[in-house]
Amino acid sequence: MSSRKILITGGAGFIGAHAASRFLREGWQVGILDDFNDFYDPAIKEDNVAKLHGAAEIFRGDIRDTGVVKQAMNAGWDTVLHLAARAGVRPSIVDPGLYIETNVMGTFNVLEAARRAGVRRFLFASSSSVYGAEAQTPFRESAALVRTLSPYAATKIAGEQLCSSYAHLHGMRVVSLRFFTVYGPGQRTDLAIHKFTRALFEGLPIDQYGEGQTRRDYTYVDDIVQGVRAAADYEGPAYEVFNLGGSHTVSLSELIKKLEVATGREAIVRLCPEQPGDMPATWAEITKARELLGYAPDTTIDEGLAKFVHWYQTDRAV
Ligand code: NAD
């Protein structure tokens, strides 16, 4: 449907820029609301937006500012993809207040403005970290969200609950999407695959936290965006939660070995203590997303790492 209009908060960031490209390719009108903050080098976000060649309407502003959000929202969007957030577990332990202001109050501001503007569909970027220490692997959407391990995870749980209440009270169709460690071209510089690749090419040590046995369900960004796109057409209950993961796990030491292969370099591993707040393992059960969204991740970790390393060598902004 070429007439559909989507506002992507956080659209200048890693996942947002990929999502914006996909929606634009399909003929949607796309708006981006982003404050281009310096959580990582803002030149990367400027480059992400420049690569959209002026096709998206850009609103520069902070979701903590209700006036800014209201202004961006009042352009007749039928769908909102809410990605803007402070991401990352470890920095949320250092500055929990910033995470709560941005991810909880900011999400409230975006939901409230969307409701007032008559937005019909709202997609919320949640996270595998909501599952905490208690959930059994593979994680199912029905698991109780207890023993939460970080302020970041707590803000994502709060965001989901706000979404649920808005769907219930205001008839807005809302989908929370729990992303599992997303990687690919443009990946955030603070995440393991990006940090390790840089270290490998620069001959610097890789910090391995713990024994290397922690496991992650790494998910290629194009697969995530396929799930997001499908969620924009979802016609089920007013509120729904889906895992978007790759459904395969890799240990930290296996990841380092795979990156050695992908880069052709040998790693210098520096052993560091386990980090408080980190999940011991993440692993998505994706049957629900497969059945109800037609979600079908098909990028293997080896293919995805090869694509990431190619991008790192040929196309990164900084
Ligand atoms: P990112 O940091 O690259 O993107 C987030 C964007 O939001 C950035 O461009 C940033 O400038 C913007 N933003 C942050 N605070 C803002 C504010 N107050 N006002 C306006 N814009 C603001 O991160 P990403 O990896 O693309 O993540 C996107 C979303 O997905 C986030 O909500 C994140 O929590 C969630 N998520 C990501 C992963 C992952 O592995 N990358 C996993 C689970 C969940």
Side-chain angles (χ1 to χ4, degrees):
M1 221 196 310
S2 60
S3 59
R4 290 182 68 181
K5 295 182 67 173
I6 187 165
L7 178 68
I8 305 178
T9 72
F14 163 44
I15 299 170
H18 283 273
S21 302
R22 164 100 193 228
F23 282 102
L24 284 168
R25 269 201 311 278
E26 291 190 22
W28 290 54
Q29 288 183 54
V30 174
I32 284 175
L33 169 58
D34 201 299
D35 70 350
F36 294 77
N37 67 52
D38 63 359
F39 176 60
Y40 55 85
D41 190 339
I44 297 173
K45 300 174 187 182
E46 297 291 351
D47 185 61
N48 287 342
V49 164
K51 284 179 175 145
L52 301 175
H53 305 293
E57 189 175 352
I58 310 295
F59 302 89
R60 287 175 187 264
D62 191 324
I63 58 165
R64 290 173 294 177
D65 180 335
T66 51
V68 162
V69 178
K70 189 175 167 200
Q71 202 192 351
M73 198 63 73
N74 283 345
W77 312 105
D78 56 76
T79 304
V80 168
L81 170 57
H82 178 42
L83 299 167
R86 290 286 167 162
V89 165
R90 291 173 203 154
S92 80
I93 298 169
V94 179
D95 194 355
L98 176 63
Y99 277 67
I100 290 163
E101 281 170 22
T102 309
N103 299 2
V104 183
M105 281 309 292
T107 296
F108 164 70
N109 290 341
V110 177
L111 274 167
E112 181 61 14
R115 169 181 86 80
R116 287 176 185 272
V119 168
R120 291 196 305 274
R121 287 173 182 277
F122 194 97
L123 311 177
F124 173 63
S126 186
S127 163
S128 56
S129 61
V130 300
Y131 287 106
E134 205 91 307
Q136 290 202 332
T137 51
F139 298 152
R140 288 188 173 76
E141 291 87 346
S142 55
L145 304 182
V146 290
R147 280 195 62 205
T148 305
L149 291 174
S150 67
Y152 171 68
T155 65
K156 289 294 178 181
I157 294 173
E160 287 191 6
Q161 297 301 329
L162 285 168
C163 284
S164 172
S165 69
Y166 268 70
H168 176 70
L169 294 172
H170 305 301
M172 196 157 52
R173 189 179 292 281
V174 188
V175 178
S176 290
L177 299 165
R178 294 178 179 161
F179 299 159
F180 284 64
T181 321
V182 190
Y183 75 103
Q187 192 200 30
R188 292 199 334 255
T189 49
D190 59 305
L191 292 174
I193 290 174
H194 197 139
K195 270 196 311 195
F196 293 177
T197 301
R198 185 176 297 271
L200 280 158
F201 279 120
E202 294 180 0
L204 297 170
I206 284 176
D207 286 341
Q208 178 189 295
Y209 297 110
E211 305 284 303
Q213 298 313 305
T214 51
R215 302 189 76 85
R216 289 286 173 275
D217 186 346
Y218 294 101
T219 314
Y220 193 68
V221 64
D222 290 353
D223 290 330
I224 289 285
V225 169
Q226 186 250 322
V228 169
R229 173 66 190 86
D233 287 341
Y234 184 62
E235 293 290 350
Y239 181 69
E240 197 69 89
V241 181
F242 292 105
N243 287 339
L244 295 184
S247 202
H248 293 283
T249 70
V250 175
S251 75
L252 185 53
S253 9
E254 285 162 359
L255 177 73
I256 294 172
K257 288 203 189 77
K258 285 178 182 300
L259 276 172
E260 288 184 318
V261 173
T263 58
R265 306 291 172 107
E266 205 173 315
I268 309 159
V269 176
R270 185 162 59 192
L271 298 179
C272 304
E274 261 174 43
Q275 294 290 292
D278 275 4
M279 304 267 287
T282 66
W283 180 9
E285 162 63 68
I286 56 170
T287 307
K288 183 177 175 188
R290 268 193 205 287
E291 286 177 358
L292 299 181
L293 294 180
Y295 172 63
D298 62 1
T299 311
T300 66
I301 183 79
D302 295 316
E303 286 165 1
L305 290 180
K307 286 183 184 176
F308 175 79
V309 169
H310 177 74
W311 166 83
Y312 182 87
Q313 289 183 291
T314 59
D315 201 20
R316 72 181 203 279
V318 291

